[in-house]
Amino acid sequence: MPPDHHTDEVNVEFDGDPAILSAPHRLSMVYGGGGVFGIAYGIGVALGLAETGIEVRSAPALGTSAGSWVASAMALNMDYDDFADMTSPSVPTRRDVLAEIGREVFGSARHHLVSVSAVCLPSGRRHILDGGRYDLADLVAASSAVPGVFPPHRVEGRLYVDGGMWSATSVDAATDADHIIVVAPLAGPVMGPMGRTAGFMLSRELGRWRAAHPQKTIALIRPNRAIGKLAGRNPMGLFDSERGRAVFPLAHQQGLEWGQQLQEQSAA
């Protein structure tokens, strides 16, 4: 096993030296999955937070599935306009179209602040991949490869599928921060049966995280009712580009509101 590939007690393997774990931080960001809808939601919330002074662009970030695109965009100082021409591919597909789109959006960029969650085949182990070691285009393709919708993506000889197959956020792997903000596009009852299931699982993860880190704080941001209505109840709607464009301004407003609230709590 190479020296930069190691296993941790949280049942996860680390490829490289992910910044989210390399040293204690004041703030870390965790972005969850949700297709094209989740990319628009995550970027909208993150930009809103940034406009209130939350330092999301300079914080280490862990992304899962759609969240890997958000984490990469924030680290590279991109915004939603950079995704305006991105259209959802026809699915299911056997083409490695996610890698193609990733190259169009991110080129060969890497960034040490970005880490992503993906599930390695055939072991089924969760891996946290380091954006300072691998191209972000490869990481987003690996982390977003939903089985049955997109083919697995190969990174340095290993095949990976969507990190959401293990956890919608992998917040348990984000430990070294005084404050963590979790942006979870799929969690909560407003997202229907899918959201209730994701929300239940996430609430358990957050509970374990809080119990293990009683001196630290964690905030969960998830869609409100208006955003949930845009998502619809059909999971394939999450890959609808038009829904993504519609949700972005609502998510941006929610990010502004949350940012103001978090700043007030910090000042109290």
Side-chain angles (χ1 to χ4, degrees):
M1 182 178 292
D4 53 358
H5 181 99
H6 53 286
T7 301
D8 194 85
E9 65 271 10
V10 295
N11 202 20
V12 58
E13 297 187 25
F14 301 100
D15 292 326
D17 187 21
I20 203 158
L21 290 169
S22 61
H25 308 284
R26 192 183 69 83
L27 171 69
S28 289
M29 299 296 300
V30 175
Y31 300 104
V36 174
F37 172 91
I39 294 174
Y41 179 77
I43 292 179
V45 168
L47 290 176
L49 292 172
E51 288 179 29
T52 68
I54 306 293
E55 297 177 348
V56 298
R57 292 195 185 275
S58 60
L62 172 61
T64 298
S65 197
S68 66
W69 298 76
V70 180
S72 299
M74 291 299 102
L76 296 178
N77 204 35
M78 301 170 73
D79 60 33
Y80 192 61
D81 289 341
D82 294 295
F83 293 79
D85 295 330
M86 188 177 78
T87 57
S88 298
S90 297
V91 291
T93 179
R94 295 183 178 180
R95 279 178 53 205
D96 196 0
V97 65
L98 293 176
E100 297 171 10
I101 297 172
R103 290 288 173 197
E104 292 175 7
V105 175
F106 302 120
S108 59
R110 299 182 178 188
H111 204 290
H112 70 285
L113 289 178
V114 178
S115 306
V116 312
S117 171
V119 174
C120 189
L121 298 180
S123 70
R125 293 276 297 175
R126 176 179 50 161
H127 286 219
I128 305 297
L129 305 173
D130 176 8
R133 174 179 175 178
Y134 305 109
D135 289 359
L136 298 179
D138 282 319
L139 297 196
V140 298
S143 185
S144 306
V146 180
V149 180
F150 300 106
H153 182 70
R154 190 178 298 276
V155 181
E156 225 176 58
R158 296 189 181 93
L159 282 176
Y160 293 96
V161 294
D162 195 311
M165 297 299 102
W166 185 285
S167 166
T169 65
S170 280
V171 67
D172 61 317
T175 56
D176 288 338
D178 294 329
H179 309 283
I180 290 183
I181 299 175
V182 180
V183 181
L186 295 185
V190 301
M191 297 298 290
M194 174 177 57
R196 284 191 287 272
T197 300
F200 173 74
M201 299 300 294
L202 181 54
S203 67
R204 295 180 61 185
E205 292 182 25
L206 293 177
R208 288 193 292 266
W209 191 94
R210 290 187 175 105
H213 307 93
Q215 304 304 316
K216 302 180 180 182
T217 64
I218 190 165
L220 170 63
I221 304 177
R222 57 188 184 180
N224 56 30
R225 189 172 300 278
I227 294 171
K229 287 179 66 176
L230 284 176
R233 294 294 184 264
N234 183 350
M236 295 307 292
L238 298 175
F239 299 97
D240 185 338
S241 299
E242 291 303 316
R243 294 191 195 199
R245 295 185 184 99
V247 79
F248 171 75
L250 297 181
H252 179 253
Q253 180 59 38
Q254 191 182 26
L256 288 171
E257 294 169 358
W258 264 97
Q260 292 166 0
Q261 178 182 330
L262 291 171
Q263 294 285 32
E264 290 170 1
Q265 291 174 358
S266 178

